Amino acid sequence: MVKTKAVMIGAGLANMAAAVYLIQEAHWNGKQITFYGVDMHGANDGGTTSEFSDEYWNKNHPLDNRTGYVARGGRMLNYRTYVDLMDLLDRIPSATEEGMTAAEDTHDFDAHHRTYDKARLLQGGKGIIDGGKLGLNNKDRVLLSKLVLMPDDEETKLDNITIAEYFKDDPHMFQTNFWYMWETTFAFRIESSVQELRRYMHQMIYEFTQIEHLVGVNRTRYNQFESIMLPLINYLKDQGVTFIDNRIVTDWEFADSPLQDEITVTGLHVKNLETDTEELVDIDDDTAVIFTNGSITDSATMGDYDTPAPENMEYGISAALWKKATERFYNLGTPDKFFNDRKNSEWVSFTLTTKNHLLLNEITRITTQVPGNALNSFLSTTPITPLGQKDVNMSIVVHHQPHFTTQKPNESVIWGYFLYPRRTGEFVHKQYIKMTGKEMAQELIGQLSKVDPGPVNIKSKETEIMDSIVNNIPVYMPYASALFNNRAKTDRPEVIPAHSTNLAFTGEFAEQPYQMIFTEQSAVRSGEIAAYHFTGISMDNLVDTPRYDKDPKTLLKATKKMFS
């Protein structure tokens, strides 16, 4: 079972974490590890528009004006629960701060830029809503308490039950401040799995007492590519790890087994996207195959200021490979639960770059808090803020500026997303998914104007703001919330499936006890488990996961908060 080499399918955070643990804990030479992937960053991306490959751009439009920045998404951090991530980042040097580990870099930045949101909820005609008043009634409290108190070994009772179905006799839940904040903090939808909601309620229970200010949210100094992925890439390259990009693994070769259930990979069919050729990579007995079996940015596409992001109807490439494995073996999950139901998983996001700080300053005035910009770099960020009417669900994040190391002092970068992209805008009468970058910016200004007090508001400056926009990049992500899709516990494979001799699954579509998904925490831990398993290191060495749901003081505080 112990291996001396590893092939990584996918070059996201989970597999990079596995590589670090193989090198540092199992004392491997980096040359024993090879990565195959379309790109070398996974879902934690970010950069100038010119740094993104043609794969993501609309093939029917030249998109010659590749200016400004783009980040398809962003992840919140939380030191209290993301213990494996912080352990990983403390093992590698920062890519931007000399003499610091990546963890020290993040701790240092966050210590000087504490999150304290004063405008967590904004509503048209009312302005800033007091999110500290959760608005729960007794039925809401009872049903939430049942989730919090449900033991881990009873979790299968929630198999194939959506959040909407769990609260079917309590529609009031979805009109509470608590739900609006929980939904937009963690990106749940009412069609999402209540099993996943339960895990979040267990692991993030202390957020009850502070969700209206998001004081538990921590931030990296720059975008998560430069602050998390780039340090990993630099470290692994320095260790001699081989990265082979522009590759898709399209199929498997498995050994025949007398019992028909032993899983042994003997070869991989690898397609070269540059030459459109395919080769068979042999996998010998000494090699582990560590596979990230799904990506929330698979099949993503980009538009530009004048062009919507098109819909790419291709089944996710990593999920397609996963599906081929499930056709051979019975215990590897059900990829269609996550990748064949786009209506419950798709998002549209946008990254808006401006050549001055007018829009940023207007958001500062409206929200009564300074989001932080290049001129005031000591100031904190604005967390995710839902805008407008209760059924709009448009969210923005104004990061500390600069958000990119190459960003000019006069530039601002703002990120936003539509959790329900098929809904129609109020100021641009199109579905969000069909809007250009320009139209998304117009919709944003319109939504901000609804919560802007006074006779002269942001709408009066619309022409000047629009003239300040360098670019606004819409991104269509059909699987952005796929990891929350309604499912049974067995629909995700275990990191080390039963009867597997050399294949492990990592990332957000691998099942781990207790861990909540859509987090860097669960991704890193899956890689850690895989690395330890194939090198004979005891799982007792895994980073201890805190259990706040077992802490009486935390539960008491949460209970009191429920009655606010």
Side-chain angles (χ1 to χ4, degrees):
M1 187 67 69
V2 173
K3 306 299 181 183
T4 59
K5 295 177 291 183
V7 169
M8 307 290 188
I9 306 176
L13 178 62
N15 280 359
M16 289 195 187
V20 172
Y21 286 108
L22 287 170
I23 291 167
Q24 295 194 6
E25 295 297 319
H27 309 294
W28 280 21
N29 187 302
K31 294 179 181 179
Q32 297 167 258
I33 303 168
T34 301
F35 280 83
Y36 290 100
V38 174
D39 52 45
M40 293 297 126
H41 52 64
N44 280 297
D45 56 26
T48 63
T49 56
S50 61
E51 293 175 292
F52 282 79
S53 69
D54 289 333
E55 173 200 359
Y56 302 113
W57 296 89
N58 184 350
K59 301 297 191 300
N60 299 317
H61 186 80
L63 298 171
D64 293 327
N65 186 26
R66 296 196 187 184
T67 56
Y69 292 89
V70 62
R72 290 179 291 183
R75 307 283 189 90
M76 59 166 275
L77 303 183
N78 187 288
Y79 298 149
R80 294 178 66 175
T81 51
Y82 290 22
V83 289
D84 293 79
L85 173 68
M86 300 315 296
D87 176 79
L88 173 69
L89 295 183
D90 208 31
R91 294 169 177 266
I92 57 174
S94 166
T96 61
E97 307 307 306
E98 188 174 354
M100 289 185 182
T101 67
E104 290 169 342
D105 173 12
T106 297
H107 278 293
D108 175 73
F109 174 80
D110 194 69
H112 293 89
H113 305 85
R114 294 292 190 191
T115 299
Y116 189 85
D117 190 12
K118 295 188 290 184
R120 181 67 184 84
L121 293 174
L122 299 172
Q123 185 175 346
K126 294 184 178 180
I128 298 172
I129 302 299
D130 183 2
K133 296 178 180 179
L134 300 185
L136 300 170
N137 64 24
N138 285 336
K139 184 176 282 188
D140 303 331
R141 297 181 188 113
V142 168
L143 290 171
L144 286 173
S145 297
K146 285 182 177 179
L147 284 181
V148 173
L149 298 174
M150 179 180 286
D152 293 344
D153 59 5
E154 294 184 12
E155 190 178 47
T156 53
K157 292 180 179 179
L158 302 177
D159 278 359
N160 298 310
I161 297 175
T162 67
I163 295 172
E165 289 166 343
Y166 180 81
F167 290 102
K168 65 180 184 300
D169 296 324
D170 182 28
H172 175 265
M173 166 58 70
F174 304 115
Q175 299 300 317
T176 63
N177 287 343
F178 165 78
W179 174 252
Y180 295 131
M181 291 187 289
W182 199 271
E183 176 186 43
T184 52
T185 299
F186 302 114
F188 280 100
R189 297 162 62 144
I190 63 172
E191 302 91 352
S192 300
S193 165
V194 76
Q195 203 171 73
E196 300 297 350
L197 177 62
R198 174 200 167 272
R199 291 195 179 190
Y200 270 74
M201 298 299 294
H202 274 237
Q203 212 163 351
M204 303 294 287
I205 184 62
Y206 59 84
E207 281 299 324
F208 262 89
T209 61
Q210 56 196 27
I211 192 170
E212 70 271 25
H213 300 304
L214 289 180
V215 295
V217 172
N218 308 110
R219 305 281 183 187
T220 54
R221 190 178 303 272
Y222 298 108
N223 62 87
Q224 288 169 338
F225 174 75
E226 292 185 279
S227 289
I228 294 178
M229 299 307 294
L230 189 56
L232 284 166
I233 294 166
N234 291 344
Y235 171 81
L236 293 175
K237 285 185 176 179
D238 287 346
Q239 296 296 313
V241 171
T242 300
F243 288 94
I244 306 176
D245 62 0
N246 289 304
R247 300 294 192 277
I248 296 175
V249 179
T250 60
D251 209 344
W252 311 90
E253 295 289 331
F254 291 108
D256 291 329
S257 167
L259 299 177
Q260 298 301 312
D261 59 2
E262 183 180 276
I263 305 171
T264 301
V265 181
T266 60
L268 300 172
H269 295 262
V270 180
K271 183 178 181 179
N272 185 326
L273 296 178
E274 295 176 328
T275 62
D276 198 29
T277 57
E278 192 165 286
E279 64 173 321
L280 177 63
V281 175
D282 291 327
I283 303 297
D284 60 29
D285 292 340
D286 296 323
T287 300
V289 177
I290 301 178
F291 170 40
T292 300
N293 58 305
S295 172
I296 59 175
T297 52
D298 271 356
S299 303
T301 55
M302 296 181 187
D304 66 6
Y305 191 72
D306 299 310
T307 314
E311 291 187 57
N312 178 359
M313 300 309 296
E314 293 178 0
Y315 199 86
I317 56 174
S318 50
L321 183 62
W322 174 21
K323 191 169 184 177
K324 287 185 177 180
T326 65
E327 292 167 355
R328 173 75 177 263
F329 301 101
Y330 64 87
N331 63 335
L332 301 185
T334 316
D336 277 355
K337 281 286 190 74
F338 308 98
F339 291 90
N340 204 34
D341 186 12
R342 290 178 171 216
K343 69 180 184 297
N344 289 326
S345 65
E346 62 184 3
W347 287 17
V348 172
S349 72
F350 60 87
T351 312
L352 192 156
T353 306
T354 62
K355 63 185 177 184
N356 61 40
H357 303 303
L358 176 59
L359 176 58
L360 196 68
N361 290 336
E362 286 296 291
I363 292 173
T364 295
R365 178 181 60 79
I366 293 167
T367 61
T368 72
Q369 61 185 23
V370 180
N373 55 46
L375 304 178
N376 298 283
S377 59
F378 62 93
L379 298 168
S380 64
T381 63
T382 313
I384 299 172
T385 308
L387 302 173
Q389 292 181 338
K390 291 185 177 182
D391 63 347
V392 170
N393 288 306
M394 179 184 188
S395 299
I396 59 170
V397 180
V398 183
H399 297 283
H400 181 274
Q401 307 292 310
H403 192 48
F404 296 88
T405 56
T406 58
Q407 196 175 320
K408 297 175 183 176
N410 59 297
E411 292 178 331
S412 298
V413 176
I414 296 171
W415 182 82
Y417 75 96
F418 302 97
L419 190 58
Y420 295 92
R422 302 285 172 175
R423 291 179 176 175
T424 300
E426 292 182 84
F427 295 86
V428 177
H429 298 292
K430 288 184 178 180
Q431 290 180 316
Y432 300 129
I433 195 173
K434 296 179 180 178
M435 289 185 187
T436 65
K438 177 181 179 180
E439 290 166 339
M440 288 181 179
Q442 292 170 329
E443 181 70 17
L444 170 62
I445 293 168
Q447 291 296 334
L448 286 169
S449 73
K450 291 176 59 180
V451 296
D452 190 2
V456 179
N457 66 17
I458 190 174
K459 193 73 173 171
S460 66
K461 301 178 182 180
E462 181 170 7
T463 299
E464 191 177 354
I465 291 172
M466 295 300 293
D467 288 344
S468 77
I469 296 175
V470 174
N471 211 341
N472 190 27
I473 304 297
V475 178
Y476 174 62
M477 294 179 286
Y479 305 122
S481 290
L483 29 64
F484 283 150
N485 278 13
N486 193 26
R487 55 96 181 188
K489 194 169 183 177
T490 57
D491 286 329
R492 292 196 300 235
E494 294 183 359
V495 176
I496 310 297
H499 314 298
S500 174
T501 67
N502 68 344
L503 176 62
F505 292 81
T506 61
E508 309 290 16
F509 297 92
E511 180 65 29
Q512 302 178 63
Y514 182 65
Q515 295 294 322
M516 58 184 185
I517 42 76
F518 211 173
T519 65
E520 280 90 342
Q521 163 65 19
S522 61
V524 171
R525 193 171 185 86
S526 66
E528 188 182 2
I529 291 170
Y532 285 6
H533 174 79
F534 286 126
T535 55
I537 298 174
S538 171
M539 295 299 164
D540 292 339
N541 291 296
L542 292 171
V543 178
D544 289 334
T545 299
R547 293 297 301 257
Y548 299 109
D549 58 328
K550 305 295 185 184
D551 177 42
K553 290 183 179 179
T554 300
L555 291 173
L556 179 60
K557 288 181 180 180
T559 301
K560 288 181 178 179
K561 185 68 174 182
M562 278 192 188
F563 286 88
S564 65

